[in-house]
Amino acid sequence: VRSSPLVTMLPPTWSVMEEVYNFDASTAAVGTTTLVTVDESTYSGGTHTAAGAAHPISWCHVDGTARAFYTARSHFASAYDGTENSAFVDHVITGIRWAARDIDGCDGHDGGDGYRSTATWHHTTHQYRATLRVGGGGVARAATFVAEFNVDFDDAVVRLDGSSGGSGSGSSITSVVVVRDDNGATVAHQYDAAPVAQLMVAVGALAATDVVVLHAYFDTTTTAAAVAGLATPVADVAAAFRVAADDALVQREGLAHRVVSDNGIYYVHTRNGGMASMVDKQGNDWISYNPANGDKGEWRGVPNAVWPNSGFAHPGDVCESNAGHCGTTTLVGLNGPLRVTLHTVSDNGLWAARWHFVSQRARWTLDKRDPSRKWWFLFEGTPGGTLDPATDRIVYSDGVSASISDESRKDTVWQGDQWALIMDDGVGEGVFVVDHVLRDDITDTYYRLGTITVLGFGRNDFSTEYEDEGHSFSVGFIGDTTTASGAAAALAAAVRVPAAVLGACTSTSSTAPCVSFAAPPIGASAAAQ
C-alpha cells in the first residue's frame, strides 16, 4: 500500500492528537483496502475488537461501480493547520480525487470499471483524451440511445495551447474530437460548442445495469488538421440515430424549421420558436397549429410559454401588445447527425430558449426569462390529428388512465414524477410530455378545450407559476399504445435520465500536460435518451 498515490505523501509514522474510533468488526473483511493504521500501544481507551487485525483509520473501498474513501482523522481543526499537517491535507485531497475517479491507486482495487482507462491510445494524431462513462441508470436503453456530455473542448484546447480565448471568445483555436471505444472502433458522435458546449455520443442499446466506457480524443485544429472534424460523417451513422433540419425554411402556417428524425417530423416557427406541428410516421399532426380562431387553430402549439400579451415560444407571429417579447429562432451548432439545436432569443433580449432534437424526442429548455414575468409549459394539440373521445385518452405518471375529456386533474398539484401520455388507440400512437424538474409545490393541469387538449405544467387556471431558468421538458412519440409496457418503457427512458459522466483528461506525454475541464453553466445538465 505504501506505493499507492493515496499515501505516498505521508511519513511512515507520525504523532498527532486525535479522537480514535474502535470498530467492532474487521473493515478488511468487507473488502476495504487499509491505507493508514493507528498503533494501539501509543494511547489508552480501548482496542480494535477484531482480534489480531490492524486498527485502520483510513481506507478505500469499491462497491460495484461506486468508490468510497474514508478517514477517521480530522476531529480537530489542528489536523489542517501548520506545515506538519500539509501531508494529511494532501492525503484527503488525493482520496477525494480517487473517489471522484480522477486517479486510480487503491492498491489495485479500483473497481475494474476502466473509468480512467489505461487502454491503448487508439488515435495517435490527437494528444489528449477524456474518458466518457454512461450507464442505463436502472432503465433498459433503446438501440437509439444518445448520451450528452457537458464538456467544453474548445476552452480546454485554448488553455492547452497557451492562448487566450475559449468557447465563444472569438479565438481561432478550436477543437477536433474523435470518439472511440476500448478496442479502437469509432463511435458516432457530434460536438457542438454553442449555445452550451456538449458532446453527443451514439451509445446504443444498454441493459438497465450496463455501464459503457468510451474515449473522446481531442486536440487543436492546428495539431490535428489531417483529421479535423466535429462529427461523424452522416453516411457512417445508423439511420435510426440520425436527425437533421432542412437547409431552407419551409412554410407550415408560417415560416418554419423542419426537423426530421426517425421518430417523427417537427416544425418550429422561426418567429418566436413555438412548435407548430408534430407529425408521426403515419402523417398525423398532433399539434395542428393554424391561424383559425381559438381552439380551431391559433391556440394550438408547444410550449406557448409566456402569457398574456406575448408571443414568445408560441407558433405564429402572435406578438399582441408586447412586441419585444417576440423572438427569432436560428439553427446553432451542427445540423446533425445526432442532434439539431434551435435557439430562440426575444427581440428585447429578456427571453431565450433552446429546442434540442435527437432521434427519439425533442427537449425544450428555458435559458432566460424576463425577471418581471412568470411562465408555463403547455401541450395544446390534436391527438392523432383530430381529437376523438372514443379513441383518445390520457395516462398520468401515477398510472391512472382517463378519457381525453376527463377534467379531474385540472388545476391540481401533481406529486412525484411529472409526466403524461396522450394516446390515440385508433392510430396506435401516443405522445409523451415530460417535466424534467420535480416540483410538488407547483400547480399542473389537464382538460379538454373543444378540439384540443390543454396539458399544462406550471399552470393554475390562467395563472403562470414558473419563475426559474434552466428548466427542461421533453416531447416525443412513444410508437406503441398496444401494450402498457411499451408506453412505460418510453416514459422511463425519458424521465429517468442516466448519469453521463466526464472523466479526467489525460495526455500522451508528460511534456503535454492535460487540464481540468471548465464546469458547465448552470442549467446545462447532462441528459440522454
Side-chain angles (χ1 to χ4, degrees):
V1 176
R2 282 298 302 166
S3 63
S4 166
L6 278 70
V7 296
T8 52
M9 74 291 292
L10 298 173
T13 61
W14 79 102
S15 299
V16 296
M17 181 184 72
E18 188 56 78
E19 175 183 325
V20 178
Y21 291 155
N22 297 316
F23 303 105
D24 60 7
S26 169
T27 57
V30 293
T32 68
T33 297
T34 300
L35 299 172
V36 181
T37 61
V38 62
D39 182 350
E40 294 181 344
S41 69
T42 62
Y43 74 98
S44 60
T47 58
H48 183 44
T49 56
H55 188 152
I57 59 169
S58 180
W59 62 76
C60 48
H61 181 219
V62 173
D63 185 358
T65 59
R67 292 181 175 186
F69 167 77
Y70 173 83
T71 178
R73 203 191 157 198
S74 73
H75 287 89
F76 304 104
S78 59
Y80 298 96
D81 293 340
T83 304
E84 68 274 15
N85 288 318
S86 61
F88 172 71
V89 174
D90 287 345
H91 170 60
V92 173
I93 292 173
T94 306
I96 293 171
R97 289 183 60 203
W98 175 83
R101 302 179 183 278
D102 188 41
I103 62 170
D104 284 343
C106 185
D107 196 28
H109 301 108
D110 296 307
D113 57 15
Y115 187 81
R116 186 181 176 88
S117 177
T118 56
T120 302
W121 201 279
H122 288 292
H123 208 80
T124 56
T125 55
H126 289 52
Q127 61 182 325
Y128 309 107
R129 78 176 177 191
T131 303
L132 313 172
R133 183 176 184 272
V134 66
V139 176
R141 302 290 162 175
T144 52
F145 173 33
V146 174
E148 300 175 351
F149 297 85
N150 292 317
V151 53
D152 193 336
F153 288 115
D154 284 0
D155 173 81
V157 297
V158 164
R159 288 184 287 133
L160 289 163
D161 185 75
S163 304
S164 61
S167 181
S169 69
S171 169
S172 61
I173 302 293
T174 56
S175 58
V176 290
V177 183
V178 173
V179 178
R180 295 182 181 271
D181 64 18
D182 267 343
N183 297 317
T186 301
V187 181
H189 64 279
Q190 175 183 334
Y191 174 63
D192 283 342
V196 174
Q198 288 185 316
L199 174 69
M200 283 64 68
V201 181
V203 175
L206 288 178
T209 57
D210 278 355
V211 175
V212 65
V213 177
L214 304 168
H215 311 281
Y217 296 82
F218 67 102
D219 215 319
T220 66
T221 51
T222 302
T223 305
V227 286
L230 296 176
T232 304
V234 174
D236 296 334
V237 178
F241 283 108
R242 295 179 196 167
V243 61
D246 290 353
D247 292 332
L249 297 175
V250 300
Q251 187 61 231
R252 188 79 175 189
E253 301 293 354
L255 284 177
H257 296 273
R258 178 177 181 263
V259 181
V260 180
S261 75
D262 184 64
N263 186 255
I265 301 174
Y266 304 86
Y267 295 83
V268 175
H269 279 182
T270 185
R271 187 61 168 159
N272 303 331
M275 186 178 289
S277 289
M278 185 174 171
V279 182
D280 65 26
K281 291 183 177 181
Q282 302 175 55
N284 304 304
D285 188 346
W286 288 65
I287 299 176
S288 308
Y289 170 83
N290 66 79
N293 290 335
D295 65 281
K296 302 296 192 298
E298 64 178 340
W299 293 346
R300 301 172 181 181
V302 179
N304 300 352
V306 187
W307 187 91
N309 299 328
S310 173
F312 187 79
H314 196 299
D317 193 2
V318 188
C319 293
E320 299 182 15
S321 63
N322 226 337
H325 280 162
C326 279
T328 300
T329 304
T330 56
L331 175 68
V332 296
L334 299 180
N335 186 2
L338 297 182
R339 190 176 76 177
V340 169
T341 299
L342 301 178
H343 190 219
T344 306
V345 179
S346 66
D347 297 339
N348 60 13
L350 295 177
W351 296 89
R354 283 172 286 146
W355 280 107
H356 283 321
F357 296 88
V358 289
S359 60
Q360 298 300 305
R361 63 175 171 152
R363 187 173 75 249
W364 184 84
T365 303
L366 184 74
D367 292 317
K368 183 180 181 181
R369 73 174 182 96
D370 179 343
S372 69
R373 302 288 299 273
K374 297 182 182 181
W375 58 281
W376 57 31
F377 183 96
L378 305 182
F379 185 96
E380 296 184 295
T382 51
T386 304
L387 191 150
D388 183 352
T391 58
D392 301 340
R393 58 193 170 101
I394 183 167
V395 180
Y396 297 99
S397 53
D398 60 4
V400 173
S401 177
S403 164
I404 205 70
S405 300
D406 182 84
E407 297 189 0
S408 60
R409 301 290 177 100
K410 184 176 181 180
D411 301 335
T412 57
V413 176
W414 299 4
Q415 300 292 324
D417 288 340
Q418 311 286 307
W419 59 259
L421 286 168
I422 296 174
M423 316 271 270
D424 186 332
D425 294 319
V427 301
E429 182 58 276
V431 165
F432 61 79
V433 185
V434 176
D435 182 351
H436 290 292
V437 178
L438 298 183
R439 291 288 301 272
D440 289 343
D441 59 331
I442 294 293
T443 304
D444 302 310
T445 197
Y446 173 76
Y447 61 95
R448 173 186 172 184
L449 180 59
T451 62
I452 61 173
T453 60
V454 179
L455 173 61
F457 294 102
R459 176 169 181 166
N460 186 354
D461 195 16
F462 286 99
S463 296
T464 52
E465 294 197 354
Y466 288 130
E467 300 180 77
D468 55 350
E469 297 175 343
H471 198 141
S472 294
F473 301 79
S474 288
V475 296
F477 294 107
I478 63 170
D480 177 20
T481 64
T482 58
T483 65
S485 60
L491 261 297
V495 175
R496 297 180 63 182
V497 177
V501 182
L502 176 71
C505 172
T506 53
S507 173
T508 54
S509 72
S510 59
T511 59
C514 219
V515 296
S516 58
F517 292 108
I522 295 173
S525 57
Q529 72 165 44

